[in-house]
Amino acid sequence: MWRKLNNVKYAIFDDTLIIEKNEEGKETFYAQPFGYNKERLTELVETLKTRNQNYTDREYLFGDVDEEFLNDLKKYTDYKIEAIEDVDDFEYVYSINDLIELRGKKYHGKKNHFNSFNKSYSYEIKTLDNEKVIKDCLTLLHKWHDEVAVTVDKEMLMEIDAIKDLCGELHYFDLKSIAIYVDGNLAGFAVGEKVNDKMAVIHVERGEIAYKGIYSFLNRIFLMESFSDIELVNRQEDTGNEGLRKAKQSYHPVKMVKKYLVKVI
């Protein structure tokens, strides 16, 4: 989705997927490798360090690194490892059962918002499986950006192209989707996928706030319809956006997936 924003490149080395990306404020780095051999980690790191000698915009060797890979670097190599918590990139993980049941005082407000939408509107649930629905989603996105463009960051401004690409390839990636219509008008939509037997991830979620309670309704219904058999859902990072951070915290994550920027010396 974000290949244009981050100038994403990839290579296969020693049966390991290497992704190179650039993020504003972090320069260019390699994301956590996929399928790496722990016993040959030194060889992989040395190859990347050698490649980086030709560049000057590489303060960190790795980014988007979780604690497991960080520990492997420390255990299986002899390099000096300097890791910095990338707080804005921490991922929010929630109990799907909690977000479906909305039990207890801490979810009282969310449940009220859900009930408000459910009682106030005549709605229809669809999926993003045809050009008309996808066009409506992109129209809603453009409207949202026109209203809040002055307050969003570069990533948010590029998401229309990213989501347009994604919507055109839902079948290829086996993604789940939902679109909520009220009286024939799109009120909100979301796209996500099942990562494994325990985890789902939400890639996109957008609602028209003129419909009171749309986000609470969208969140709960999507999980009920597509991911009720899974334990956890990853709703990704807040990118340092205070409004987004407050919204994600209000759903009470059960854990945060820490991410690190790593220097290897």
Side-chain angles (χ1 to χ4, degrees), residues 32-68:
Q32 179 168 315
F34 289 88
Y36 61 91
N37 183 333
K38 296 179 181 180
E39 303 297 335
R40 300 185 65 180
L41 200 48
T42 296
E43 182 180 348
L44 173 62
V45 170
E46 194 59 33
T47 299
L48 297 179
K49 284 172 63 67
T50 300
R51 183 173 186 272
N52 276 7
Q53 291 175 0
N54 298 320
Y55 301 95
T56 59
D57 64 335
R58 315 251 167 154
E59 181 179 1
Y60 303 100
L61 185 66
F62 294 109
D64 292 346
V65 165
D66 65 22
E67 290 180 318
E68 181 179 357

Side-chain angles (χ1 to χ4, degrees), residues 61-221:
L61 185 66
F62 294 109
D64 292 346
V65 165
D66 65 22
E67 290 180 318
E68 181 179 357
F69 180 67
L70 182 59
N71 289 334
D72 283 345
L73 282 174
K74 295 176 180 178
K75 181 177 180 180
Y76 292 95
T77 77
D78 295 324
Y79 297 104
K80 178 182 177 183
I81 307 298
E82 294 183 3
I84 300 172
E85 288 189 351
D86 191 2
V87 178
D88 293 346
D89 209 30
F90 284 11
E91 296 175 353
Y92 292 74
V93 177
Y94 306 83
S95 161
I96 289 181
N97 185 64
D98 285 351
L99 298 190
I100 289 177
E101 296 295 333
L102 297 179
R103 292 177 179 172
K105 185 180 295 185
K106 66 181 181 180
Y107 290 114
H108 183 70
K110 301 298 182 186
K111 196 163 190 176
N112 283 345
H113 289 150
F114 175 89
N115 290 334
S116 176
F117 184 94
N118 193 41
K119 295 175 181 178
S120 300
Y121 303 108
S122 176
Y123 60 85
E124 181 181 6
I125 298 175
K126 298 183 180 182
T127 57
L128 279 66
D129 60 357
N130 64 71
E131 291 185 8
K132 170 64 168 61
V133 177
I134 293 174
K135 183 178 179 180
D136 289 344
C137 291
L138 296 177
T139 298
L140 188 154
L141 273 175
H142 280 287
K143 182 176 184 296
W144 185 88
H145 278 272
D146 288 343
E147 292 172 348
V148 302
V150 295
T151 63
V152 299
D153 56 24
K154 184 178 179 182
E155 180 173 330
M156 299 292 272
L157 291 173
M158 293 187 71
E159 76 168 0
I160 293 177
D161 278 346
I163 293 174
K164 183 177 180 180
D165 285 348
L166 193 66
C167 289
E169 302 290 351
L170 294 179
H171 62 289
Y172 183 81
F173 292 109
D174 194 27
L175 300 174
K176 303 295 183 181
S177 64
I178 189 171
I180 310 295
Y181 280 80
V182 173
D183 298 326
N185 298 311
L186 181 66
F189 72 98
V191 177
E193 69 176 310
K194 181 178 178 180
V195 178
N196 52 47
D197 291 338
K198 291 187 177 182
M199 183 77 72
V201 61
I202 304 301
H203 293 298
V204 179
E205 185 182 71
R206 278 287 174 269
E208 173 55 77
I209 60 173
Y211 298 97
K212 185 177 180 181
I214 179 58
Y215 277 105
S216 293
F217 185 84
L218 184 61
N219 178 290
R220 187 183 188 193
I221 290 296

